[in-house]
Amino acid sequence: MDVLERYAPLVDDFDAFRAACDRPLPSVVRVNTLKTTVERARAALDEAGIAYEPREWHDGLLALPQDQPGTNWPYMLGWIHGQEEVSAVPAEVLDPQPGERVWDACAAPGSKTTQLAALMEDTGLLVATDNNLGRISALRSNAERAGVTNVAVTHEDARNHSLKPFRAPGSEAGREGAPYDRALVDVPCSCEGTIRKNPDALDDWNLDHVHGIAGVQKGVLRRAIQTTREGGTVVYSTCTFAPEENEAVLDYALDEEPCELVEFDLPLEHAPGVTEWGEESYDESVRKAKRIYPHHNDTGGFFCAKLEVTAE
Ligand SMILES: C[S@@+](CC[C@H](N)C(=O)[O-])C[C@H]1O[C@@H](n2cnc3c(N)ncnc32)[C@H](O)[C@@H]1O
């Protein structure tokens, strides 16, 4: 089955989309501002003879010519971290502040965890959860290499995230069991948008898997909303195009939990969330979500939505 063909009705320039999906992905690194500055990282790359091209919307993202950002010394020192350009979007949209309590619900291997820690200036509390022990090892080693100290790692199913160790002082007076100011929900998905990095990504694609993983996504997003204080922010992201895993999950959360979708700026080309897919129609507000297609900015595919937790 030609999986990408099913998105022809959604994508603005489908030929450009297909052509972009067939090209290899540019290799991008993010400067780790916990260990260095953008200027020093650029100087180190200059010194190492590694060419780079800053991305326009984020001066800490640099496109490198080679595929292996792990082989240079600025990487070994934790000054830079290999991270796909669009993968840097959700943490910027979440915009965590120093001193806050933040939950990274599906955190391994930690690209976004280390980015969140840098945005929080390594203060406050960052709880990073994953249910895969092997990937948690990678998360720990990435956090260590990046010099992150404000992170607590938990190994559990995020749908049943336990608050016992992390309850905020005084939270009994507010929304019971909602200690977090913000949560990032970067869920497991069918990974259609990673086809440029992993040409085999769609080999085992099937609709049953899409529906199955959507059940997990719904559960994790619900838990994130339940554990975030009223007025707090939850960002939902995937690297897939399937509306079943994107807008349908948001539509479900809007029905089940006290939350609303909010607008946000994104200085990258994108399309709005879709409200119709097959027989399904979704809440109008899912248009506020953003779909990033590979041909838009020469990146992988991505989906990102920002929610605010409202009164029960
Ligand atoms: C898209 S990846 C996360 C990438 C990560 N946020 C980053 O930027 O490096 C999804 C992660 O969710 C984890 N996962 C899958 N099901 C989960 C569950 N029920 N609870 C917690 N984590 C889960 C997977 O092990 C995987 O590491």
Side-chain angles (χ1 to χ4, degrees):
M1 176 186 176
D2 184 350
V3 177
L4 294 179
E5 202 62 38
R6 79 194 288 260
Y7 304 117
L10 301 184
V11 178
D12 48 341
D13 180 347
F14 194 66
D15 290 341
F17 167 83
R18 295 267 357 185
C21 289
D22 288 341
R23 287 197 299 272
L25 192 65
S27 173
V28 174
V29 296
R30 174 177 49 79
V31 175
N32 173 22
T33 53
L34 291 181
K35 285 214 165 168
T36 190
T37 62
V38 172
E39 291 67 33
R40 280 174 72 198
R42 288 187 188 190
L45 290 169
D46 286 339
E47 212 174 290
I50 299 167
Y52 55 83
E53 199 182 304
R55 306 312 272 181
E56 223 172 86
W57 68 282
H58 189 306
D59 72 347
L61 288 177
L62 309 171
L64 305 188
Q66 73 269 50
D67 297 334
Q68 300 286 332
T71 56
N72 54 65
W73 70 261
Y75 173 85
M76 302 305 285
L77 292 177
W79 287 18
I80 57 174
H81 180 85
Q83 184 171 10
E84 220 273 88
E85 183 173 351
V86 277
S87 152
V89 166
E92 298 292 333
V93 174
L94 189 66
D95 194 25
Q97 300 299 304
E100 288 188 333
R101 287 172 169 255
V102 176
W103 183 34
D104 188 356
C106 297
S111 289
K112 299 177 193 72
T113 310
T114 52
Q115 185 184 5
L116 292 169
L119 290 167
M120 295 165 76
E121 297 171 9
D122 201 27
T123 64
L125 175 66
L126 176 56
V127 177
T129 295
D130 207 278
N131 73 346
N132 180 316
L133 261 189
R135 289 173 67 93
I136 281 181
S137 298
L139 164 68
R140 285 187 193 283
S141 108
N142 280 325
E144 195 171 327
R145 194 178 51 80
V148 174
T149 66
N150 69 338
V151 71
V153 176
T154 73
H155 174 222
E156 58 185 333
D157 186 327
R159 291 172 288 184
N160 306 317
H161 177 48
S162 169
L163 291 172
K164 273 197 191 140
F166 304 114
R167 201 164 295 234
S171 70
E172 304 77 23
R175 214 168 150 251
E176 185 58 33
Y180 297 116
D181 299 296
R182 298 172 204 254
L184 179 60
V185 184
D186 185 44
V187 282
C189 67
S190 57
C191 296
E192 296 161 353
T194 66
I195 182 86
R196 298 183 67 183
K197 189 167 62 180
N198 174 14
D200 303 332
L202 302 179
D203 286 1
D204 296 327
W205 187 98
N206 67 69
L207 203 48
D208 285 346
H209 176 249
V210 167
H211 287 135
I213 202 83
V216 176
Q217 294 159 346
K218 287 172 181 168
V220 179
L221 180 55
R222 277 193 83 164
R223 190 69 187 133
I225 296 165
Q226 289 164 358
T227 56
T228 299
R229 66 169 170 79
E230 188 183 321
T233 303
V234 175
V235 166
Y236 179 79
S237 58
T238 74
C239 53
T240 208
F241 307 119
E244 294 91 338
E245 301 177 59
N246 292 325
E247 289 86 351
V249 176
L250 298 176
D251 188 68
Y252 170 85
L254 291 169
D255 277 350
E256 299 297 326
E257 297 293 337
C259 64
E260 62 189 21
L261 280 151
V262 293
E263 301 278 4
F264 60 99
D265 290 330
L266 180 64
L268 283 171
E269 193 182 335
H270 58 269
V274 298
T275 55
E276 305 279 332
W277 177 243
E279 311 276 282
E280 303 296 322
S281 59
Y282 310 123
D283 189 280
E284 278 296 310
S285 68
V286 303
R287 284 188 202 282
K288 293 176 185 168
K290 312 229 188 279
R291 297 183 146 256
I292 304 174
Y293 294 119
H295 61 297
H296 281 158
N297 312 279
D298 195 19
T299 63
F302 217 73
F303 179 86
C304 188
K306 184 174 189 176
L307 299 103
E308 185 178 312
V309 179
T310 56
E312 304 245 18

